[in-house]
Amino acid sequence: MAPNKDNASDARKKLADYALVIDLLGKLSGAASEQTLAEDIFHLFEMLYGPFRWAAYLPVVETQPGEIKVRGILDDNASMAARMLDLKTEYSWTPSRKGFLLRIEREGALLAIVAVEDFLLVDHIEHYLNLALNLTPILGLAVSNARVYQRLRNEISERQRSEQALQQTTHALARSNKELEQFAYLASHDLQEPLRMISNYVSLLKMRYAGKLDQDADEFIEYAVDGAKRMQALINSILEYSRVGKAALKPEPVDLTDVIKESLSNLRVSVEESDAVIKMDTLPTVMGNRERLVLLFQNLIGNAIKYRKKEEAPMIYVSGKEDGSRWELSIKDNGIGIDESSTDRIFMLFQRLHGKSEYPGSGVGLAICKKIVEQHGGRIWVESKPGEGSTFRFTLPSP
């Protein structure tokens, strides 16, 4: 007997439908959101059972004895929502409504309840509930995965927002620092001329009238001259600090032995007057800006000479050791030392540990050193005890 063409066509259609069902089941576990997942579930039931007019998905986020809390309902039918919450068994078939309620669970936890009602083709549909029950483990896994995806997306979005806020804050801080440095440079530069005029006129008063007025007048003039000199030194220090950050750092290989020779040449008068002895190991070549590194060593060695003991000539030893991709340099002296409580404060701008009468200076030198080292991607610190000298250590990148 020849096969009926209509039967063959129906068979091919059913095979095609089953292939779509299997494909849709494979996609369920990769649903990116619960909203999308609910729509896929309704589509799946329509393919399995035929058309229906009404469906609802109730996501359950927490269960307690005698109580079910839900996140939201994808339908505004309050009576259906109440009936879904009352579902205690795996499913509920409602002939009068031509549909069913189905619990979706995962590892014993209730995740959601699905309602599908008003099927248009209801013949034998009750017999297909076993198929729906067999699908619930897959649906449970799909719901669980969708919630994991959503949580990860939320965490990533929050992290991105935090990183964006941090980046904006960093840019704002960098811009503010740049503007502050520019302001300090301009303000210091603009103050130079009026201060120079004040200093000149006060010095002129001292030259013409010293000893011709009373003692108080001579003392007042001396105070004015000294104040003008200190103000001039402070402005020069601010200008020097601002200049360190104005030009972009263009690193190149720099021989530190040559750097120290140039630094000592700049310090020649101080070295000779103090009878300082400077020794150094064979020093490496590093990546950096030669001009700023000369200033770095000049300030550190100059400080070692300045803060010396009165009864001893300065003994200064410069050395270095390789530490991975960096070099750790050290400058050790036999000076007066630093109290441990002040080892961080000395790198701050205008911080001084001694009076100007004991040791002259503006309190900017070590702040400049810190700025130069950090511009090279390193860090600087000091190890010291009062009366036992100090060792300043800092890191610079290898070529």
Side-chain angles (χ1 to χ4, degrees):
M1 185 175 183
N4 187 294
K5 290 184 179 180
D6 291 337
N7 291 339
S9 177
D10 288 345
R12 284 195 296 272
K13 184 176 183 305
K14 287 181 180 179
L15 285 173
D17 288 345
Y18 285 136
L20 290 173
V21 168
I22 291 171
D23 183 57
L24 185 56
L25 283 172
K27 292 179 179 177
L28 286 178
S29 61
S33 71
E34 220 165 335
Q35 173 72 47
T36 302
L37 178 63
E39 294 171 358
D40 288 343
I41 290 174
F42 299 149
H43 185 203
L44 175 66
F45 285 164
E46 186 176 28
M47 295 179 70
L48 289 173
Y49 303 126
F52 53 83
R53 291 198 179 97
W54 191 91
Y57 178 89
L58 187 71
V60 178
V61 295
E62 183 180 349
T63 57
Q64 295 179 359
E67 179 184 3
I68 298 179
K69 294 183 180 180
V70 298
R71 180 172 61 249
I73 303 171
L74 304 183
D75 191 89
D76 58 1
N77 190 318
S79 61
M80 171 56 71
R83 198 159 61 85
M84 291 171 76
L85 288 174
D86 288 338
L87 181 63
K88 298 297 188 295
T89 56
E90 287 182 287
Y91 71 94
S92 172
W93 167 246
T94 313
S96 62
R97 292 179 176 267
K98 301 177 184 178
F100 60 82
L101 303 179
L102 185 68
R103 290 169 63 98
I104 298 178
E105 298 181 348
R106 171 74 172 161
E107 297 178 349
L110 177 62
L111 301 180
I113 300 173
V114 175
V116 185
E117 296 196 343
D118 203 6
F119 283 99
L120 301 183
L121 304 173
V122 295
D123 294 340
H124 308 294
I125 196 167
E126 192 171 358
H127 299 294
Y128 290 119
L129 279 173
N130 284 332
L131 176 58
L133 291 174
N134 289 332
L135 290 177
T136 53
I138 298 175
L139 301 182
L141 177 62
V143 173
S144 179
N145 286 350
R147 292 182 182 179
V148 170
Y149 293 151
Q150 185 62 53
R151 186 166 62 251
L152 288 175
R153 279 201 307 276
N154 292 341
E155 291 176 357
I156 291 172
S157 297
E158 182 63 31
R159 188 179 299 113
Q160 288 174 338
R161 283 193 293 271
S162 298
E163 289 174 354
Q164 186 178 13
L166 178 61
Q167 190 175 29
Q168 290 173 347
T169 302
T170 303
H171 288 332
L173 183 60
R175 186 171 59 252
S176 176
N177 285 340
K178 187 175 181 179
E179 291 173 353
L180 184 61
E181 287 180 357
Q182 187 176 16
F183 172 77
Y185 179 81
L186 293 175
S188 301
H189 185 271
D190 292 344
L191 283 172
Q192 288 272 37
E193 187 56 36
L195 183 61
R196 187 179 297 113
M197 184 171 60
I198 293 171
S199 180
N200 289 341
Y201 274 108
V202 172
S203 297
L204 189 60
L205 281 172
K206 182 180 179 180
M207 290 172 57
R208 287 190 178 181
Y209 298 105
K212 296 180 180 180
L213 303 174
D214 60 20
Q215 185 176 354
D216 287 344
D218 290 344
E219 189 175 345
F220 295 156
I221 292 173
E222 191 65 40
Y223 286 155
V225 171
D226 182 61
K229 289 180 179 178
R230 285 191 286 110
M231 182 62 74
Q232 187 73 49
L234 182 61
I235 288 175
N236 289 337
S237 296
I238 294 174
L239 281 171
E240 186 177 10
Y241 182 80
S242 300
R243 288 190 189 104
V244 169
K246 284 184 70 67
L249 184 70
K250 296 179 180 179
E252 59 183 2
V254 179
D255 187 340
L256 291 185
T257 300
D258 292 340
V259 165
I260 291 182
K261 287 179 180 178
E262 185 173 343
S263 300
L264 293 178
S265 176
N266 296 337
L267 294 168
R268 182 174 55 84
V269 174
S270 297
V271 171
E272 291 176 355
E273 288 180 349
S274 63
D275 293 325
V277 177
I278 294 98
K279 296 181 179 180
M280 60 181 180
D281 287 342
T282 301
L283 296 176
T285 295
V286 300
M287 289 299 292
N289 178 281
R290 178 185 176 86
E291 181 182 350
R292 297 184 197 180
L293 292 179
V294 168
L295 181 58
L296 169 66
F297 280 93
Q298 182 176 314
N299 281 349
L300 291 174
I301 295 173
N303 272 2
I305 295 173
K306 181 195 296 185
Y307 296 102
R308 62 185 182 271
K309 296 174 183 176
K310 293 179 179 180
E311 67 278 6
E312 295 182 34
M315 300 288 294
I316 302 166
Y317 178 59
V318 184
S319 62
K321 62 178 181 180
E322 195 168 10
D323 182 14
S325 62
R326 317 192 68 77
W327 278 88
E328 181 183 308
L329 288 306
S330 64
I331 298 177
K332 183 178 181 180
D333 64 55
N334 63 337
I336 61 175
I338 304 167
D339 188 86
E340 187 177 358
S341 62
S342 301
T343 53
D344 290 330
R345 185 163 64 91
I346 59 173
F347 294 105
M348 299 172 65
L349 201 59
F350 303 131
Q351 294 297 312
R352 294 179 52 85
L353 305 183
H354 308 279
K356 293 182 177 64
S357 59
E358 294 180 275
Y359 299 98
S362 59
V364 175
L366 287 178
I368 290 175
C369 292
K370 183 174 185 289
K371 191 172 185 180
I372 293 173
V373 171
E374 290 178 348
Q375 286 175 342
H376 286 76
R379 68 185 188 95
I380 184 170
W381 68 101
V382 63
E383 298 167 357
S384 181
K385 289 183 179 180
E388 298 183 15
S390 303
T391 302
F392 282 84
R393 302 184 187 277
F394 54 95
T395 57
L396 294 174
S398 300

